[in-house]
Amino acid sequence: MPPPATEPLAPADVASADELFVTGLHLEQYRHATRLPTLYWQEALRRDPLDSRCNNAIGLWHLRRGEFTKAEEYFRAAIKRLTRRNSNPYDGEAYYDLGLCLRYVGRDEEAYSSFYKATWNQAWAGASYHALAEIDCVRQDWITARDISIERYVSTPIICALEICRSSYCASQEKPKKRPRC
């Protein structure tokens, strides 16, 4: 039987930034009734303003609330730390999240660059390539959208959906050049 749950320490009493980050994640995941996760992440940022994990976590918190300007600031701070010594960081989440933020405010050109940078990391490659293909579809660049999906082995349903979109567009303009593959 697992030990009973205990109340977390107040943010100022937590010893490490790592514990502050993990405590914030726990509070967010279980929607704790009396503690806010952001207080723990903000305490970690008070100690280390460029902590990439806490900057990204607070950025997501603002993103979910539609506070895009604030979210962008936190994502960019996370990226600043992640790319300090390595232009292709170990984790692409902050780039992906920044891409989402930029798309929500209609800055698709910047979002495209951010999503593309997130493809470096395999964990975020699938979602990032999908987002790139969505932007290409908005641009009505069906061939690039399909090629991104095919070349990077994004799942078959996505390729099928893109082919259907492309064929529908072609049918509205002229006779389709080839049948969808799905």
Side-chain angles (χ1 to χ4, degrees):
M1 176 174 272
T6 59
E7 187 172 8
L9 296 172
D13 298 331
V14 175
S16 70
D18 185 59
E19 193 174 343
L20 285 163
F21 172 71
V22 172
T23 301
L25 283 182
H26 171 78
L27 295 173
E28 181 183 45
Q29 181 177 355
Y30 293 102
R31 296 189 174 116
H32 197 280
T34 62
R35 303 274 180 166
L36 294 173
T38 52
L39 297 178
Y40 290 84
W41 298 326
Q42 288 168 342
E43 174 63 21
L45 291 177
R46 187 188 65 72
R47 298 176 191 183
D48 178 4
L50 291 180
D51 183 293
S52 61
R53 299 165 308 162
C54 292
N55 271 304
N56 199 68
I58 293 178
L60 284 170
W61 189 83
H62 286 293
L63 184 72
R64 289 184 195 112
R65 285 156 184 73
E67 298 166 350
F68 303 118
T69 302
K70 282 189 170 194
E72 180 181 353
E73 291 172 16
Y74 284 101
F75 295 140
R76 290 195 187 279
I79 290 167
K80 183 175 181 179
R81 169 62 59 84
L82 290 169
T83 58
R84 182 175 173 198
R85 299 200 194 298
N86 187 351
S87 61
N88 295 311
Y90 175 77
D91 188 359
E93 182 180 8
Y95 275 111
Y96 178 80
D97 295 339
L98 176 60
L100 285 178
C101 182
L102 294 170
R103 277 227 59 207
Y104 290 144
V105 295
R107 292 162 54 193
D108 282 359
E109 290 301 318
E110 291 175 79
Y112 201 90
S113 295
S114 189
F115 285 134
Y116 205 87
K117 190 68 172 176
T119 65
W120 175 262
N121 173 238
Q122 184 61 40
W124 292 96
S128 297
Y129 280 119
H130 182 88
L132 291 169
E134 285 178 349
I135 293 171
D136 286 327
C137 284
V138 168
R139 296 173 178 166
Q140 297 185 351
D141 187 352
W142 313 116
I143 303 304
T144 303
R146 185 196 63 204
D147 290 348
I148 283 175
S149 298
I150 291 170
E151 288 175 22
R152 302 303 176 184
Y153 306 105
V154 178
S155 66
T156 304
I158 293 171
I159 296 169
C160 180
L162 290 171
E163 281 291 332
I164 290 168
C165 288
R166 185 189 61 78
S167 324
S168 298
Y169 175 76
C170 290
S172 71
Q173 302 299 312
E174 60 184 326
K175 185 178 176 184
K177 295 180 170 106
K178 72 179 196 183
R179 289 180 53 194
R181 298 184 306 189
C182 37

